Amino acid sequence: MTVIVTGGAGFIGSNFIFHMLSAHPEDRIVCADKLTYAGNLSTLRPVMEESSFRFVKLDICDRAGVYALFEEEKPDAVVNFAAESHVDRSIEDPGVFLRTNIIGTGVLMDACREFGIGRFHQVGTDEVYGDLPLDRSDLLFTEETPLRASSPYSASKAGADLLVMAYHRTYGLPVTLSRCSNNYGPYQFPEKLIPLMIANCLNDKPLPVYGEGKNVRDWLYVEDHCRAVDLVLRKGREGECYNIGGHNEMHNIDIVKLICAELGKPESLITFVTDRKGHDQRYAIDPAKIRRELGWTPETGFQDGLRKTIRWYLDNRSWWEEIISGEYQSYYQRMYGGR
Ligand code: NAD
Ligand code: TDX
């Protein structure tokens, strides 16, 4: 089949493309990406020349451009990773989040209706459920947990999720939706916790931990997420949502200390800075449905995954050093200067 993967020059989308090209060599993968600050064409260099792969620079909000691509490629499926994805940036400037995450998703689904599609898969996040209290480890997010987004980012993703389900009910569009917990692994933009801390450690820079570092995130190695999305795409039931996570809750501070230990850097680099506005306390996914219905389980444990990730950032310094030498500098100054 021909699969359009949007946002494939970003972190999870690129890992998904690598997974698809190796797991399903019979499929054709068309990556459509606007190449925002978070998109990096060099990430896709290893597959650029493959005959079953095509890259198209495209904004998912560009209706004419999206329709032209559908007309040309006649895709069997679309997997939508394209999004503005960083919570702190959404607090600074929500507008572009509403545009890409909601309007863009709508444009893609309109094209699916216009040209026909076997499956539209929306890549969602656990952040749409809001947060859980730190002292209630018995509570987990299930697919039935009400949406209660906290940030402009998560509200825009919740809006997209609602639109996806509405297109299924109203127009019978064959959709699926997955909501994953925090990912980590190769090619993650160094504005996110784990790669930011690795890069700062390697440069002996302060490690800015928000608040007291007690917030909890539920971490999943990116390849496990990619396998789960692939499974939902092929075997998931139409109109259904699947939570994806590996029961791996960690306090932020413990992750930062682990990174220091792995890199042999002193914990004195840790600096507690002003907390994020509206900072979600705890995320924790119940992945029982995807395990039961599709037989998915995570394969990479956290210690192993973190080691592999650190190794990757050590072996691919030029990838992230190029990023942090550009526009990132002014972002970093805006976000952390005087915090
Ligand atoms: P990312 O920021 O690394 O990549 C996003 C990609 O989308 C970039 O390549 C960017 O150029 C592209 N893009 C942005 N706006 C676009 C537009 N208008 N048109 C076309 N392309 C556009 O994000 P990520 O971390 O890889 O996340 C991918 C998806 O997974 C997002 O939908 C995100 O909400 C979701 N998600 C992420 C995580 C996580 O931990 N990173 C967890 C759960 C869900
Ligand atoms: O410098 C930092 N210091 C810090 O303490 C950064 C960047 C983050 N943090 C904290 C905030 C969070 O509690 O670490 C935690 C993780 O932060 P992020 O990496 O920004 O991720 P989060 O806000 O949890 O959102 C992520 O997971 C869900 C992704 O960015 C989203 O795209 C995804 O939907």
Side-chain angles (χ1 to χ4, degrees):
M1 61 179 179
T2 295
V3 184
I4 292 184
V5 177
T6 66
F11 165 46
I12 309 174
S14 59
N15 279 283
F16 182 72
I17 287 171
F18 300 146
H19 162 83
M20 292 288 276
L21 288 172
S22 86
H24 308 287
E26 70 286 1
D27 288 347
R28 174 174 167 74
I29 305 295
V30 178
C31 171
D33 196 298
K34 185 183 177 183
L35 297 180
T36 67
Y37 80 93
N40 199 331
L41 206 47
S42 75
T43 301
L44 294 171
R45 201 174 290 140
V47 296
M48 225 49 170
E49 301 305 322
E50 286 197 19
S51 56
S52 53
F53 178 74
R54 177 185 175 199
F55 177 82
V56 182
K57 186 173 187 305
L58 182 65
D59 182 342
I60 58 165
C61 302
D62 169 6
R63 190 172 289 270
V66 168
Y67 281 34
L69 181 65
F70 272 65
E71 175 117 65
E72 201 185 339
E73 290 288 348
K74 302 187 173 44
D76 301 289
V78 173
V79 182
N80 183 26
F81 287 94
E84 289 293 334
S85 70
H86 193 39
V87 173
D88 293 321
R89 287 186 192 252
S90 84
I91 294 168
E92 209 188 19
D93 183 11
V96 67
F97 286 72
L98 309 187
R99 182 178 178 277
T100 289
N101 299 0
I102 303 177
I103 308 281
T105 301
V107 169
L108 287 173
M109 290 194 295
D110 285 341
C112 291
R113 291 173 54 216
E114 182 77 20
F115 295 93
I117 197 83
R119 178 61 61 85
F120 176 85
H121 181 77
Q122 174 70 3
V123 178
T125 171
D126 61 356
E127 296 199 17
V128 298
Y129 298 123
D131 61 356
L132 296 164
L134 286 172
D135 58 357
R136 288 291 308 274
S137 57
D138 56 315
L139 297 179
L140 302 172
F141 295 136
T142 74
E143 290 79 0
E144 272 67 54
T145 301
L147 303 190
R148 198 173 60 89
S150 314
S151 70
Y153 162 70
S154 51
S156 71
K157 291 293 290 184
D161 288 6
L162 292 172
L163 203 58
V164 168
M165 289 312 187
Y167 270 55
H168 175 64
R169 168 127 185 204
T170 306
Y171 305 116
L173 196 71
V175 306
T176 39
L177 166 64
S178 54
R179 295 190 178 126
C180 192
S181 59
N182 284 58
N183 283 214
Y184 68 102
Y187 300 107
Q188 187 166 29
F189 196 89
E191 66 190 349
K192 305 283 166 57
L193 179 75
I194 289 181
L196 184 142
M197 295 301 167
I198 296 173
N200 281 17
C201 254
L202 290 172
N203 288 329
D204 297 307
K205 284 181 61 180
L207 308 176
V209 171
Y210 298 166
E212 295 176 2
K214 298 270 171 58
N215 305 60
V216 167
R217 295 294 181 266
D218 184 0
W219 294 93
L220 186 69
Y221 193 61
V222 63
E223 281 174 15
D224 283 325
H225 183 192
C226 293
R227 277 192 305 105
V229 170
D230 184 15
L231 254 184
V232 174
L233 180 67
R234 281 159 213 275
K235 302 205 173 118
R237 288 185 291 133
E238 267 180 41
E240 291 291 318
C241 171
Y242 294 87
N243 279 354
I244 306 170
H247 288 299
N248 183 55
E249 292 179 49
M250 304 271 297
H251 292 283
N252 294 339
I253 187 70
D254 294 334
I255 294 200
V256 178
K257 285 181 177 171
L258 262 177
I259 293 171
C260 289
E262 286 290 333
L263 289 171
K265 298 289 179 176
E267 288 183 8
S268 56
L269 283 175
I270 295 173
T271 314
F272 294 96
V273 301
T274 310
D275 210 352
R276 174 185 278 173
K277 289 191 177 81
H279 198 175
D280 281 334
Q281 295 288 309
R282 170 176 164 251
Y283 301 147
I285 278 276
D286 179 355
K289 179 176 176 180
I290 190 168
R291 195 189 310 125
R292 189 177 64 245
E293 285 193 14
L294 306 181
W296 176 87
T297 49
E299 286 175 359
T300 304
F302 189 72
Q303 287 276 353
D304 184 28
L306 187 65
R307 281 206 182 116
K308 280 204 275 191
T309 303
I310 291 175
R311 187 76 256 156
W312 188 88
Y313 281 86
L314 283 167
D315 291 345
N316 293 274
R317 276 191 97 117
S318 61
W319 183 88
W320 56 270
E321 276 177 344
E322 202 168 305
I323 290 171
I324 65 174
S325 67
E327 185 270 346
Y328 183 85
Q329 287 293 335
S330 62
Y331 164 78
Y332 201 88
Q333 189 50 38
R334 279 200 322 277
M335 203 54 73
Y336 296 97
R339 189 165 183 159

